[in-house]
Amino acid sequence: MSYFFEGWLLAAYIIIALIITAKAIYKNEHPITRSICFVGFFIYLYFLIDLTQFPIYVSPSMAEELGGNIFNSLNLIPFKDIFNMSGFYNIVATIPLGVLIPLITQRIWAFESIILIGICTGLLLEGLQLCQLFKIGYTLRIVDVNDVICNGLGVIIGYIVFKAGYTLLSSLANKTLSNFITDYFRR
């Protein structure tokens, strides 16, 4: 049996996303801008979840073939083979999150908070893969501490890109646009 991020699971995700978006734009001074930010966030989140968690294959024959020692699917040694394409993809996959966090929350975050969010994002993604490993006895992925590090780095890079863009737009924009940008973010 295979599980994909589609059908009833996708329908439930869309309903939850719509409810959260509706609550976020209710009585907001910038409903269109906020709606665009939330729609972008939930589209990004869909692809991130689909990429990192699905498909999930549940098969007794695969469990026999791939199962056994679940510790073969774990890497708990930090910085061991971190500089490879997998690490690069993990960084790139979470860069948008660093940009979207301030956009959906309408606030400029402290850098320490962004670091914490980045680490928690990596822990959540890898933790869900670990749960899959324990639940069905095998996984087609490797649960890797380096992925947590790379995910955190991606969020930090995304936030730096956001801050650079925010600073540039605020300084270059005309007074009306500059006021809109600063009004959108609560300090």
Side-chain angles (χ1 to χ4, degrees), residues 95-106:
I95 287 174
L97 187 59
V99 173
L100 289 167
I101 288 169
L103 292 175
I104 64 170
T105 59
Q106 288 185 291

Side-chain angles (χ1 to χ4, degrees), residues 1 58-67 138:
M1 176 176 272
V58 180
S59 165
S61 63
M62 285 182 78
E64 288 177 22
E65 193 173 315
L66 298 172
Y138 67 93

Side-chain angles (χ1 to χ4, degrees), residues 32-59:
I32 294 172
T33 307
R34 192 138 163 94
S35 297
I36 291 169
C37 293
F38 266 86
V39 168
F41 173 74
F42 282 113
I43 289 171
Y44 161 74
L45 194 58
Y46 164 79
F47 284 111
L48 183 65
I49 293 169
D50 189 48
L51 178 69
T52 61
Q53 305 301 317
F54 290 93
I56 299 172
Y57 298 106
V58 180
S59 165

Side-chain angles (χ1 to χ4, degrees), residues 6-174:
E6 59 186 26
W8 66 269
L9 193 57
L10 179 57
Y13 176 80
I14 291 171
I15 290 169
I16 291 168
L18 289 172
I19 290 169
I20 292 171
T21 302
K23 283 185 151 197
I25 63 172
Y26 181 70
K27 291 186 178 180
N28 191 284
E29 295 176 19
H30 307 281
I32 294 172
T33 307
R34 192 138 163 94
S35 297
I36 291 169
C37 293
F38 266 86
V39 168
F41 173 74
F42 282 113
I43 289 171
Y44 161 74
L45 194 58
Y46 164 79
F47 284 111
L48 183 65
I49 293 169
D50 189 48
L51 178 69
T52 61
Q53 305 301 317
F54 290 93
I56 299 172
Y57 298 106
V58 180
S59 165
S61 63
M62 285 182 78
E64 288 177 22
E65 193 173 315
L66 298 172
N69 187 358
I70 61 173
F71 296 105
N72 290 339
S73 296
L74 296 176
N75 175 29
L76 302 176
I77 302 169
F79 304 107
K80 177 184 174 191
D81 293 330
I82 194 170
F83 301 109
N84 56 30
M85 288 310 289
S86 175
F88 174 75
Y89 293 145
N90 276 292
I91 291 170
V92 170
T94 52
I95 287 174
L97 187 59
V99 173
L100 289 167
I101 288 169
L103 292 175
I104 64 170
T105 59
Q106 288 185 291
R107 66 182 267 226
I108 306 298
W109 289 74
F111 197 70
E112 296 81 15
S113 299
I114 292 298
I115 292 171
L116 185 62
I117 290 170
I119 292 169
C120 288
T121 299
L123 287 172
L124 178 65
L125 293 174
E126 293 302 306
L128 290 171
Q129 291 176 2
L130 185 63
C131 289
Q132 177 185 352
L133 176 64
F134 285 128
K135 177 69 177 162
I136 60 177
Y138 67 93
T139 183
L140 300 177
R141 296 171 176 84
I142 294 178
V143 179
D144 192 348
V145 69
N146 293 319
D147 291 351
V148 174
I149 295 166
C150 290
N151 290 146
L153 187 58
V155 172
I156 292 167
I157 291 169
Y159 187 70
I160 291 169
V161 167
F162 165 79
K163 285 284 284 186
Y166 174 79
T167 304
L168 184 67
L169 278 175
S170 295
S171 65
L172 293 178
N174 63 34

